[in-house]
Amino acid sequence: MAELTTLESLLEMGFGRNRAEKAVANTGNQGIEQAMDWLMEHENDPDIDEPYVPPAGNLLGGDTDQTTAGDSGEAVIAEEDELYSDNPEASRRPMTEEEKREQVKRLEELMRVKQAERRERERAEEVEREKQRRRQGQELQQIRQKIQDDEMKKLADQRRREKMEDKMARQRVKDKIARDREERAQKFGGGAPPSTVTSTQPTPPSPSSPTGQGPPPTKKEYDESRIQVRLLDGSTINAVFKAQEPLAAVRVYVQMNGNTPEGQDFTLLSPYPRHVYTELDMEKPLKELGLVPSAVLVVTKKSEGSAL
């Protein structure tokens, strides 16, 4: 029984002649498996169905051998025939149709196995590419998360620094107010005059009083003043000051604890009797201005106070 040549087997399996001739030529006529592998690897080539053109002859030594094939199919068939030139029995008795079908069936089964192996290989490659893509995505997500965490850490550090600086600034202002109060107390005298101290002592009842009652009580001297300040928005704040503190201490307290806009110049006034305090009044003690033991002051814009 004569075996089909590689070219004949490929043609029997349904491959086009151009494809079959290229597969046989490019695999060096090494067998049907190599030819089928080549066809599966190059089935998507744009020139796969173009006629096969054998390469030009090579220059060997000093002689030039140039072989020209008029028909590419005949050249490939000639190569196939050389394999069976030593087998006269095969050349004399061609294969029957049943033998051809059996051999084609074996080749088709081999083709299906090759295709299954190729699909499995491509599936494994696709799985590996998907794994690689996921690894890259996870690495990218980790990088983004790290950048975000670093930014959040920087923002948190910056906020902590800002809060600390704000706290220190407020402490410096409070210290300055305390120093200013001490300086003003030393400047204007922190204690009450001696006559005030003696006048506060109780006077024993006079035995010669015709009514049997003591003398009228003396006026009490206060060393503190409770001030209520009404702000620009109608809200109020309360504070206690020394009677000898200047009115400027009240203004500084309003600047620090009120909701007066920054840079807003304002002054104070008494609603009843109505009196707008000037810069000269700011240096006078609260007692001298009649704001002891308690008083109500109103914050007003400086331009409005001047107009009033």
Side-chain angles (χ1 to χ4, degrees):
M1 181 184 67
E3 293 288 337
L4 291 175
T5 64
T6 301
L7 179 62
E8 292 172 346
S9 298
L10 294 175
L11 294 176
E12 287 289 335
M13 293 175 65
F15 289 104
R17 173 169 290 276
N18 292 336
R19 294 192 178 198
E21 290 177 354
K22 287 184 178 180
V24 172
N26 285 283
T27 58
N29 198 15
Q30 294 181 0
I32 186 65
E33 291 189 18
Q34 288 80 359
M36 289 167 58
D37 290 340
W38 187 92
L39 284 171
M40 285 188 292
E41 291 176 1
H42 295 82
E43 63 179 351
N44 295 323
D45 291 355
D47 59 346
I48 187 66
D49 291 316
E50 295 181 3
Y52 173 70
V53 179
N58 297 326
L59 184 64
L60 301 175
D63 299 333
T64 303
D65 297 326
Q66 184 174 4
T67 303
T68 303
D71 185 3
S72 58
E74 294 178 357
V76 175
I77 294 174
E79 292 179 0
E80 292 288 335
D81 292 341
E82 290 179 0
L83 296 176
Y84 299 97
S85 59
D86 296 333
N87 191 354
E89 183 67 22
S91 61
R92 285 194 302 270
R93 188 173 66 85
M95 295 180 65
T96 63
E97 292 297 326
E98 184 178 356
E99 291 173 341
K100 288 182 180 181
R101 284 194 299 270
E102 184 178 354
Q103 185 170 359
V104 169
K105 183 178 180 180
R106 290 197 305 269
L107 294 176
E108 289 177 348
E109 181 64 24
L110 179 61
M111 185 71 173
R112 284 192 293 271
V113 172
K114 291 288 184 179
Q115 290 175 344
E117 291 176 353
R118 180 184 178 185
R119 286 193 297 270
E120 184 64 25
R121 185 172 61 253
E122 291 177 348
R123 188 160 45 245
E125 292 175 354
E126 181 63 25
V127 171
E128 184 62 29
R129 285 194 297 270
E130 179 64 18
K131 290 180 179 179
Q132 182 67 19
R133 185 187 65 80
R134 292 184 179 182
R135 282 195 298 267
Q136 292 176 352
Q138 292 175 354
E139 292 173 357
L140 182 59
Q141 182 65 24
Q142 291 174 357
I143 293 173
R144 290 177 178 172
Q145 186 65 35
K146 185 176 183 303
I147 293 174
Q148 185 177 1
D149 292 343
D150 292 342
E151 290 294 330
M152 294 297 293
K153 185 177 179 182
K154 289 179 181 179
L155 289 175
D157 293 341
Q158 183 178 357
R159 289 175 181 174
R160 281 195 294 268
R161 286 195 301 270
E162 291 175 353
K163 288 183 179 179
M164 181 61 66
E165 292 173 357
D166 185 55
K167 183 178 179 181
M168 294 174 63
R170 278 189 274 180
Q171 186 61 42
R172 286 194 296 268
V173 172
K174 290 180 180 180
D175 294 342
K176 184 177 183 304
I177 293 174
R179 289 194 301 270
D180 291 343
R181 287 182 178 178
E182 292 177 0
E183 292 175 358
R184 291 192 185 96
Q186 294 175 2
K187 181 178 179 181
F188 297 103
S195 59
T196 305
V197 177
T198 57
S199 62
T200 58
Q201 296 179 356
T203 304
S206 174
S208 59
S209 175
T211 59
Q213 297 179 355
T218 59
K219 186 177 180 180
K220 185 178 179 180
E221 295 292 337
Y222 297 92
D223 59 354
E224 289 183 345
S225 176
R226 183 176 299 276
I227 304 294
Q228 182 183 78
V229 182
R230 188 165 69 240
L231 305 176
L232 292 173
D233 61 355
S235 61
T236 60
I237 56 176
N238 299 277
V240 178
F241 300 88
K242 295 293 183 182
Q244 296 299 327
E245 283 191 89
L247 183 59
V250 180
R251 183 168 63 180
V252 173
Y253 181 83
V254 172
Q255 288 176 340
M256 295 302 302
N257 299 278
N259 55 6
T260 306
E262 185 177 356
Q264 175 69 53
D265 196 6
F266 65 91
T267 187
L268 301 171
L269 62 84
S270 293
Y272 182 80
R274 190 175 190 84
H275 176 72
V276 179
Y277 295 99
T278 64
E279 290 297 328
L280 293 177
D281 293 332
M282 293 297 166
E283 298 299 327
K284 295 179 181 180
L286 299 176
K287 184 176 181 180
E288 182 180 341
L289 295 172
L291 302 176
V292 177
S294 64
V296 176
L297 299 177
V298 179
V299 175
T300 180
K301 295 180 182 179
K302 201 159 188 179
S303 59
E304 296 177 0
S306 300
L308 294 172

